[in-house]
């Protein structure tokens, strides 16, 4: 007997935010609202807020903006796991 693989949908979202410290709290709120709307557990939402704050703050502090003056913030939820990615220009 063989088992069929269960496909777990991946839900992604991407933002371009200004390369500025003021982007950090707005991005935190946006991600938290999005994750709550996807019924992600509160403890995971809290952790995602902390992680994106650190990643985005570091991008603003230590790297340059992308050519359009922004930083890209991408996240996805797959099987209850949240993956965050912040992309800026290398200094």
């Amino acid at each position: 007997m063989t088992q069929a693989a269960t496909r777990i949908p991946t839900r992604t979202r991407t933002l371009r935010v200004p390369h500025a410290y003021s982007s950090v709290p707005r991005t935190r709120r946006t991600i938290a609202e999005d994750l709550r709307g996807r019924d992600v557990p509160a403890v995971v939402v809290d952790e995602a807020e902390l992680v994106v704050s650190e990643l985005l703050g570091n991008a603003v502090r230590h790297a340059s903006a992308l050519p359009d003056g922004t930083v890209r913030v991408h996240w996805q939820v797959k099987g209850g796991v949240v993956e965050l990615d912040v992309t800026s220009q290398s200094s």
Side-chain angles (χ1 to χ4, degrees):
M1 175 192 279
T2 60
Q3 267 186 326
T6 302
R7 291 185 53 121
I8 300 171
T10 301
R11 298 176 288 178
T12 66
R13 183 146 180 224
T14 302
L15 296 175
R16 293 275 185 149
V17 299
H19 185 265
Y21 287 113
S22 61
S23 296
V24 175
R26 287 184 294 202
T27 303
R28 276 179 66 132
R29 282 191 299 273
T30 299
I31 289 175
E33 290 170 4
D34 179 71
L35 295 177
R36 285 186 198 107
R38 300 179 195 210
D39 295 322
V40 172
V43 67
V44 177
V45 174
D46 292 344
E47 291 170 355
E49 285 184 282
L50 293 173
V51 170
V52 77
S53 294
E54 185 69 19
L55 293 174
L56 186 53
N58 285 344
V60 171
R61 184 177 304 112
H62 300 294
S64 302
L66 294 169
D68 65 356
T70 66
V71 176
R72 184 179 72 90
V73 181
H74 174 83
W75 65 99
Q76 65 180 2
V77 179
K78 183 176 182 181
V81 175
V82 177
E83 295 178 3
L84 292 160
D85 180 51
V86 174
T87 305
S88 57
Q89 189 71 36
S90 298
S91 298

